[in-house]
Amino acid sequence: PDNGPVLFESAFDKNEIALVDPKTGKRVGSCSTGKEWVGGIAFSDDGKYLAAKTSYHIYLFDTDRPNKPAWEFKYGEGIPIGDDVKGGVAISSDGSKIVASIGNKIILFDKKSSKPVWQYEIGGQAYNVGIRNTKSACFRRGHSFEIKVDYPSS
């Protein structure tokens, strides 16, 4: 309605996470997310791992095998597709830790498993989640302040 012009290349049920070689510009792999919208992606500093958040999933990919996630975590069934996919996803520089903001929760994963190793519940929606180091996550709540949370070592 009042969003200005919006262009879409395909139908809303053909979404995907695609990996493109930065040197050649060619697609090297992709994974369909179907009707789920992609709400965020993050690469480890060495480019070996890709974390992604969609409407109902958190995915971790090894970029050497981009057509199938190393693992996936399912959440939030019942949230309308196309609703705001707020929150975010981040990955540590070495790819060992993945953190995601889902509604009022911050969830931490180890790259070895889709089972959360730590969760933190906040009052309200979290935005712009990040990992400062391998011991703390940060996120923004509202527009004005940032919160840093230390999590236990796994």
Side-chain angles (χ1 to χ4, degrees), residues 2 6 28 51 54 69 86 114 131 135:
D2 291 328
V6 180
V28 294
T54 66
K86 288 187 169 87
S114 64
I131 293 181
K135 294 186 174 38

Side-chain angles (χ1 to χ4, degrees), residues 75-88:
Y75 70 90
E77 195 86 40
I79 300 167
I81 296 286
D83 227 15
D84 219 351
V85 187
K86 288 187 169 87

